[in-house]
C-alpha cells in the first residue's frame, strides 16, 4: 500500500465498526511502511492486510479485510498467504474476531487469551493530577522506549515516536522518584476516545493513570479500554469505573505464544498493530 491506500483501508475498517483513531494512519505507516498490502481486482482495490514487522523477531497481522461484495471467492486467502510469507521466521501475533478464530487455528495460530473491549463515558472533569503523574513529553523518549520494551515482543521505537506525540492525544506517565513505572495514551477516534496502551507496574499505579486519562474525555463521549482478560486487575479496573464489555477478540500467536508480563498490561495499544 501507499500511504494513501492505507487511508482507504482505514475507511473500510471504520465501515466494519472497528472505530479507528483519527490519526492512526500516520503512526501505523511509520511503524513499517513495507508492512501494508492491498489486493486489486483489475484496477479496483478489494482487500487489505497489514503484516507489520517489529525488530528482527516479531510481526503483527491486522487489517485483514475483503470488501463484502467480493467475499467467498478466495481473494482474502491469496492476500493472507502473500502477507504472511513476508513474516516468515518471525513470531506473528493477531487479534482475531470471534467468527474467524477457527480459521486462524487451522493456520497454526495458538490462542493466548481474550481481549475484551470495555466502554464507558467521559465526564469532562479534569482534576489536577497527582504529583507522580506527568506529561510523557516531559520525559526523555529513550526512558519511555526502555519502559515499553519488556511489554511488547520486540522493539517498536519508530511506532512509539509517532504514537506518543500524535495530535489531539493525551500521553501521561507515572513516576516513582525518577523511575517510570507506568504510562498511558488517550486518543480521539471516529467515535469517542480510546485508551491504549495502559501499562503499569501495579494496579495502584494503573488506577490513577486511568482516571486522569478518562477525565480528558468530554462529557457524554464514549471511552474505550481494550483489556487482556488474563489480567484480573485490569478487568476489575474497567468494571470499577462502570465500563461494560461490548466486544472481544482472541489474541493469537504463531508458532508459539511469547512470554509477556500480562499483569502489567492494563490496556492493549491497538488491535490492528498490537
Amino acid at each position: 500500500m501507499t500511504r494513501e491506500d492505507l487511508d482507504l483501508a482505514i475507511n473500510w475498517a471504520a465501515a466494519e465498526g472497528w472505530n479507528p483513531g483519527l490519526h492512526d494512519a500516520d503512526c501505523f505507516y511509520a511503524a513499517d511502511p513495507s508492512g501494508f498490502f492491498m489486493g486489486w481486482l483489475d484496477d479496483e482495490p478489494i482487500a487489505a492486510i497489514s503484516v507489520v514487522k517489529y525488530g528482527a523477531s516479531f510481526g503483527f497481522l491486522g487489517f485483514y479485510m475483503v470488501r463484502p461484495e467480493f467475499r467467498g471467492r478466495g481473494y482474502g486467502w491469496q492476500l493472507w498467504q502473500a502477507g504472511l510469507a513476508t513474516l516468515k521466521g518471525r513470531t506473528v501475533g493477531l487479534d482475531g474476531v470471534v467468527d474467524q478464530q477457527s480459521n486462524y487455528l487451522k493456520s497454526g495460530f495458538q490462542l493466548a487469551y481474550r481481549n475484551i473491549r470495555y466502554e464507558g463515558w467521559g465526564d469532562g472533569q479534569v482534576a489536577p493530577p497527582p504529583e507522580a503523574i506527568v506529561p510523557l513529553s516531559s520525559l526523555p523518549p529513550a526512558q519511555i522506549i526502555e519502559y515499553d520494551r519488556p511489554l511488547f515482543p520486540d522493539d517498536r521505537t519508530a511506532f512509539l515516536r509517532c504514537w506518543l506525540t500524535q495530535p489531539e492525544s493525551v500521553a501521561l506517565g507515572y513516576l516513582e522518584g525518577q523511575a517510570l513505572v507506568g504510562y498511558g495514551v488517550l486518543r480521539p477516534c471516529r467515535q469517542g476516545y480510546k485508551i491504549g496502551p495502559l501499562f503499569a507496574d501495579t494496579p495502584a499505579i494503573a488506577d490513577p493513570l486511568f482516571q486522569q486519562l478518562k477525565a480528558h474525555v468530554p462529557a457524554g463521549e464514549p471511552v474505550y479500554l481494550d483489556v487482556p482478560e488474563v489480567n484480573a486487575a485490569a478487568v476489575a479496573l474497567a468494571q470499577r469505573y462502570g465500563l461494560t464489555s461490548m466486544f472481544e477478540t482472541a489474541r493469537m500467536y504463531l508458532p508459539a505464544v511469547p512470554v509477556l508480563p500480562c499483569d502489567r498490561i492494563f490496556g492493549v495499544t491497538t488491535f490492528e498493530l498490537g
Side-chain angles (χ1 to χ4, degrees):
M1 292 188 207
T2 64
R3 172 62 184 79
E4 291 71 25
D5 291 333
L6 181 54
D7 286 334
L8 177 61
I10 284 181
N11 285 336
W12 290 352
E16 293 288 332
W18 297 0
N19 193 25
L22 298 184
H23 306 288
D24 284 359
D26 283 339
C27 297
F28 287 176
Y29 208 69
D32 177 13
S34 69
F36 298 88
F37 293 86
M38 186 161 276
W40 297 71
L41 188 61
D42 297 324
D43 58 354
E44 185 174 7
I46 66 165
I49 197 169
S50 63
V51 279
V52 170
K53 296 175 286 294
Y54 294 102
S57 67
F58 186 62
F60 201 85
L61 189 152
F63 279 106
Y64 182 42
M65 295 174 288
V66 178
R67 284 170 47 192
E69 62 269 35
F70 294 99
R71 292 174 185 170
R73 307 187 200 177
Y75 296 135
W77 176 240
Q78 292 181 53
L79 193 58
W80 168 275
Q81 291 179 300
L84 203 56
T86 70
L87 299 179
K88 186 175 181 180
R90 295 172 179 261
T91 298
V92 183
L94 61 79
D95 277 310
V97 296
V98 172
D99 62 357
Q100 288 291 333
Q101 289 169 20
S102 61
N103 289 331
Y104 300 143
L105 288 169
K106 291 175 185 175
S107 292
F109 282 83
Q110 296 187 36
L111 175 65
Y113 49 80
R114 294 196 308 164
N115 284 320
I116 310 296
R117 174 160 294 170
Y118 283 90
E119 179 184 44
W121 302 92
D123 54 20
Q125 302 295 317
V126 181
E131 185 177 346
I133 294 180
V134 300
L136 274 186
S137 59
S138 68
L139 302 178
Q143 184 178 13
I144 306 164
I145 291 164
E146 181 182 8
Y147 181 80
D148 185 88
R149 182 63 193 86
L151 297 159
F152 197 76
D154 208 325
D155 178 75
R156 56 175 182 171
T157 298
F159 169 78
L160 284 177
R161 288 189 184 279
C162 181
W163 194 253
L164 302 179
T165 60
Q166 61 184 291
E168 303 178 84
S169 66
V170 178
L172 302 174
Y174 193 108
L175 294 178
E176 287 185 349
Q178 299 300 311
L180 182 64
V181 292
Y183 84 89
V185 178
L186 174 80
R187 76 190 196 280
C189 298
R190 298 286 179 99
Q191 295 178 315
Y193 294 75
K194 288 180 184 174
I195 294 173
L198 179 59
F199 294 158
D201 285 5
T202 68
I205 293 166
D207 190 296
L209 270 174
F210 173 80
Q211 289 187 63
Q212 281 295 313
L213 292 166
K214 183 175 178 289
H216 285 82
V217 178
E221 285 283 311
V223 59
Y224 303 96
L225 180 69
D226 298 331
V227 173
E229 191 181 36
V230 291
N231 186 343
V235 173
L237 171 68
Q239 295 174 344
R240 184 161 60 249
Y241 290 99
L243 278 66
T244 56
S245 61
M246 58 165 301
F247 179 74
E248 70 176 71
T249 68
R251 174 58 63 89
M252 308 179 80
Y253 293 98
L254 172 78
V257 177
V259 177
L260 294 173
C262 289
D263 61 328
R264 296 168 62 195
I265 302 174
F266 289 80
V268 177
T269 306
T270 156
F271 285 161
E272 291 79 23
L273 261 71

